[in-house]
Amino acid sequence: MPDHRRSIRLKNYDYSAKGAYFITVCTWNKKCLFGEITSGTMRLSQAGETAAKCWEEIPVHFPQVTPDTFVIMPNHLHGILIIKDVHVGAKNFSPKKGHRPRGTSKTIGSVIRGFKTGVTKWARNNTNIENIWQRNYYEHVIRNEYELDKIREYIVTNPARWERDRENPEVVRLMENKKSINS
């Protein structure tokens, strides 16, 4: 059966292109699987430590990708991935215009899929958790150094804002209670 979900990706964008990408990956039903935040500091669980290790090991599986700043939160990850120029051949000739790598092995999507697979395999072998990730992920193409610096700051300071974070299940619960009281 065909998949008719609307894509959240930029139409006609080459997600294997050289550049920096801001990525957010959330857990299944936003469950807090990766640890907890105490006094603005993230305390990783074993699953959180595994997620961090898998993120740091991305270049082992995808040599053209370098992880930059990232943070594992209780129920999501924010990180920057940088793709180096992979379109230049062995003799430093650029490929013909419009050339894209075969398959998806060099795209951000395949990198995230590999990362999710690594964490999921560990969880299924070491815990009773079957579903780790929500479908898909969010990405933003970082366009310049100013934006890169602002996103790095956002990532690093994310744990300190947890008490106000819309990804925090406790914040969501409080907002829902407030809505029902005001109704």
Side-chain angles (χ1 to χ4, degrees), residues 45-114:
S45 65
Q46 215 173 354
E49 289 175 4
T50 299
K53 182 179 177 211
C54 287
W55 188 261
E56 291 167 342
E57 289 179 352
I58 285 173
V60 172
H61 308 283
F62 300 91
Q64 77 281 11
V65 180
T66 302
D68 193 273
T69 307
F70 76 98
V71 65
I72 306 290
M73 297 293 287
N75 61 3
H76 64 284
L77 167 144
H78 290 302
I80 297 170
L81 293 176
I82 298 173
I83 296 183
K84 300 174 232 161
D85 193 359
V86 295
H87 294 293
V88 177
K91 294 185 178 181
N92 211 26
F93 294 119
S94 294
K96 293 178 185 170
K97 189 173 176 115
H99 172 78
R100 293 171 69 151
R102 282 191 204 273
T104 59
S105 65
K106 296 185 188 305
T107 66
I108 284 293
S110 62
V111 173
I112 300 304
R113 190 169 33 260

Side-chain angles (χ1 to χ4, degrees), residues 154-165:
Y154 173 82
I155 290 170
V156 169
T157 60
N158 204 244
R161 293 189 311 278
W162 181 244
E163 297 303 319
R164 302 180 309 276
D165 195 320

Side-chain angles (χ1 to χ4, degrees), residues 1 4 6 38 40 51 59 65-68 74 85 88 124 132-133 136 149 154-156 181:
M1 179 176 339
H4 295 292
R6 202 184 91 192
T38 307
V65 180
T66 302
D68 193 273
D85 193 359
V88 177
R124 289 182 178 166
I132 303 295
W133 304 108
N136 230 324
D149 290 341
Y154 173 82
I155 290 170
V156 169
I181 290 170

Side-chain angles (χ1 to χ4, degrees), residues 12-43:
N12 298 320
Y13 187 82
D14 178 0
Y15 283 97
S16 66
K18 174 182 175 181
Y21 300 83
F22 175 41
I23 307 294
T24 300
V25 188
C26 297
T27 59
W28 181 258
N29 291 330
K30 305 230 172 130
K31 294 206 187 258
C32 294
L33 304 175
F34 298 138
E36 62 185 22
I37 295 182
T38 307
S39 302
T41 301
M42 181 63 192
R43 309 266 183 230

